[in-house]
């Protein structure tokens, strides 16, 4: 636990950049305004993961995106 949330690390997958040796994220829980203030888990970049009462769904989601190797990550949108 950190002051910002739960730090999750997958040491089997390399990180995305110089400051991150392994795939990782800090998951937080806060009210989701567009869902009537229901508590939700969020990624560190603000993407909603799952409602706070769906811990297993949130765990599977986090596991999935921290298991992707850098070459499997979706490319940035280009315009």
């Amino acid at each position: 636990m950190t002051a910002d949330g739960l730090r999750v690390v997958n040491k089997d997958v390399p990180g995305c950049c110089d400051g991150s040796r392994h795939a990782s994220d800090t998951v937080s829980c806060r009210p989701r305004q567009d869902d009537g203030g229901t508590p939700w888990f969020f990624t560190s970049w603000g993407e909603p993961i799952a409602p706070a009462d769906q811990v297993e769904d949130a765990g599977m989601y986090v596991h999935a995106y921290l298991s992707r190797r850098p070459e499997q990550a979706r490319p940035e949108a280009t315009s």
Side-chain angles (χ1 to χ4, degrees):
M1 286 297 298
T2 71
D4 297 322
L6 178 65
R7 180 91 173 138
V8 184
V9 178
N10 183 346
K11 292 184 178 182
D12 294 329
V13 176
C16 65
C17 44
D18 291 338
S20 181
R21 275 183 69 174
H22 305 288
S24 62
D25 195 11
T26 301
V27 177
S28 62
C29 185
R30 65 178 186 270
R32 184 171 179 182
Q33 300 309 315
D34 62 352
D35 190 20
T38 302
W40 272 63
F41 294 113
F42 288 85
T43 65
S44 61
W45 59 93
E47 184 171 330
I49 297 173
D53 64 352
Q54 296 178 15
V55 176
E56 288 182 15
D57 290 345
M60 288 189 301
Y61 182 92
V62 172
H63 178 269
Y65 77 80
L66 291 183
S67 294
R68 294 183 304 209
R69 301 227 171 252
E71 64 273 11
Q72 295 171 315
R74 66 183 160 179
E76 294 296 320
T78 57
S79 38

